[in-house]
Amino acid sequence: MGLLKNFLLSLMGLLLAYYFYSSPEFKPEMLKGKRVIITGASTGIGEQIAYHLAKMGAHVVITARTEEKLKKVVDKCLSLGAASAHFITGSMEDMAFARQVVIRAEKLLQGLDMLILNHITTSGFTYFNNDLENVLHIMKVNYLSYVAMTIKATPLLKKSQGSIVVVSSLAGKVPGPLTVAYSASKFALDGFFSSLRQEFIMQKKNISITLCILGLIDTENAMKTISGVLDSEPAPKEDCALEIIKGGALRQDEIYYSFLSTKFHTVMRALTPNLITEHFRKKLNVKNIKSP
Ligand SMILES: NC(=O)c1ccc[n+]([C@@H]2O[C@H](COP(=O)([O-])OP(=O)(O)OC[C@H]3O[C@@H](n4cnc5c(N)ncnc54)[C@H](OP(=O)(O)O)[C@@H]3O)[C@@H](O)[C@H]2O)c1
Ligand SMILES: *[C@@H]1O[C@H](CO)[C@@H](O)[C@H](O)[C@H]1NC(C)=O
């Protein structure tokens, strides 16, 4: 018995050592001179991704709806050391605009190395209100525009052996109340991009796809949305943005941030679905839920 235990422990040690030594190391130089599109970069996590990439010397094209904010982010990117920085203004509810962003970015950058899909439309933290139009809007902005941009970007990324980075959420792995339509849009991203990743392998298209499973992050909008209802410690957006870039640069299939809580919930959901959803419902401050 003791012998078996020792054997198993040694085996585990060896596997862990192999895992750590064989996983490639991230270096900021990996992004130097890379041509990157970042969506939803006027604020929040996307804005922080732009700043990290600027410091690493990348070319960045950022997009969102609000021109004044984008201008400021572009200026700051240039002062941080971006090889170049441009913005494109418009709404991702419009699929023609989503495609145009890729076409215009290609002209600005003479190609594309990384597509970071990050934008979302605002959706509250409240009960589903049976509004089909709102579900359509959320699916267009949070999901279909990601598909539209990916279709346009695939030939460019094939040429550069580039990467697609998809920012998702724990709500895209574990269902929870108060974000019904948002959760559906994030699950759709997993279905689409995790399937597409396999086809790229089969077709020998060397484009990596990184799905980012994020827990609660301290962006202004997220904090406002959950305020009063969910009392959970958020992780910092600056650190989160860096982990997203690392995952893309290292061509990982998925990243989990903050790692322990998001990974734990995802694994638990697979093993014992009811236990974890019940635990989540109990954490909510039900009396503060706003009417939908
Ligand atoms: N923060 C969290 O706790 C958390 C947790 C899990 C996952 N995530 C994921 O992380 C990503 C970023 O979240 P965040 O908290 O940083 O979001 P955020 O601060 O609300 O930023 C959203 C970005 O999307 C843009 N946007 C909104 N509506 C748009 C539209 N119709 N067309 C084009 N752009 C639009 C916004 O700019 P404009 O308003 O100027 O257009 C903004 O730049 C999202 O994919 C989110 O699901 C966040
Ligand atoms: C895929 O692209 C990456 C990044 O350019 C490269 O490091 C890797 O060797 C490529 N793999 C194949 C099989 O060509």
Side-chain angles (χ1 to χ4, degrees):
M1 200 54 201
L3 210 66
L4 182 67
K5 194 173 138 198
N6 277 342
F7 173 74
L8 286 177
L9 278 176
S10 316
L11 190 70
M12 232 169 77
L14 276 174
L15 284 175
L16 275 176
Y18 174 77
Y19 176 77
F20 281 110
Y21 282 106
S22 65
S23 45
E25 203 194 326
F26 173 77
K27 296 187 194 72
E29 302 86 76
M30 287 172 163
L31 277 308
K32 198 174 161 68
K34 294 288 184 215
R35 300 156 297 179
V36 189
I37 297 176
I38 310 135
T39 71
S42 64
T43 182
I45 299 165
E47 178 186 2
Q48 299 304 320
I49 293 175
Y51 296 154
H52 281 297
L53 287 169
K55 284 183 213 154
M56 294 169 190
H59 296 270
V60 298
V61 171
I62 61 171
T63 176
R65 292 167 306 174
T66 320
E67 182 163 340
E68 315 89 81
K69 288 191 197 169
L70 288 172
K71 265 189 188 144
K72 282 189 189 145
V73 178
V74 158
D75 286 345
K76 188 160 170 194
C77 284
L78 289 171
S79 73
L80 287 171
S84 70
H86 293 92
F87 69 87
I88 301 172
T89 317
S91 175
M92 288 292 175
E93 200 183 3
D94 174 8
M95 296 309 122
F97 172 74
R99 287 192 289 265
Q100 270 302 317
V101 170
V102 179
I103 293 166
R104 283 161 64 187
E106 185 201 2
K107 291 213 176 91
L108 289 165
L109 303 172
Q110 316 293 335
L112 184 68
D113 296 297
M114 191 179 272
L115 173 64
I116 303 182
L117 299 166
N118 164 78
H119 63 275
I120 47 162
T121 185
T122 42
S123 41
F125 199 57
T126 183
Y127 295 113
F128 181 54
N129 65 355
N130 299 314
D131 179 351
L132 180 60
E133 282 306 315
N134 190 235
V135 178
L136 285 169
H137 170 73
I138 290 174
M139 286 311 261
K140 274 190 195 163
V141 179
N142 294 9
Y143 168 58
L144 289 172
S145 66
Y146 282 43
V147 175
M149 291 187 76
T150 296
I151 293 170
K152 272 283 165 220
T154 298
L156 311 177
L157 294 171
K158 187 180 172 214
K159 206 160 140 198
S160 63
Q161 305 198 317
S163 306
I164 301 171
V165 177
V166 180
V167 181
S168 186
S169 163
L170 186 58
K173 288 282 188 188
V174 181
L178 311 186
T179 54
V180 169
Y182 170 82
S183 174
S185 71
K186 294 298 196 186
F187 266 78
L189 291 175
D190 192 2
F192 183 85
F193 284 99
S194 302
S195 303
L196 187 66
R197 187 191 296 118
Q198 299 187 38
E199 293 194 1
F200 282 174
I201 295 169
M202 292 166 74
Q203 297 167 314
K204 302 208 172 6
K205 284 191 187 127
N206 190 5
I207 305 172
S208 65
I209 296 181
T210 303
L211 187 70
C212 306
I213 312 306
L214 308 183
L216 188 61
I217 312 296
D218 66 357
T219 66
E220 217 174 291
N221 284 337
M223 292 301 97
K224 230 185 286 163
T225 305
I226 62 152
S227 140
V229 182
L230 181 63
D231 182 22
S232 231
E233 196 55 45
K237 57 182 190 261
E238 298 83 0
D239 193 35
C240 174
L242 186 58
E243 290 307 311
I244 290 169
I245 295 169
K246 282 186 190 173
L250 296 176
R251 305 175 84 81
Q252 286 169 346
D253 288 351
E254 293 189 332
I255 68 143
Y256 287 79
Y257 182 89
S258 302
F259 182 79
L260 279 183
S261 76
T262 51
K263 192 76 183 180
F264 173 76
H265 281 87
T266 305
V267 170
M268 285 299 281
R269 197 258 168 158
L271 294 175
T272 154
N274 293 335
L275 190 71
I276 202 73
T277 49
E278 196 183 316
H279 167 76
F280 185 73
R281 288 197 300 274
K282 278 187 183 148
K283 286 205 309 196
L284 298 170
N285 214 336
V286 178
K287 67 175 192 319
N288 289 344
I289 297 175
K290 296 177 194 82
S291 57

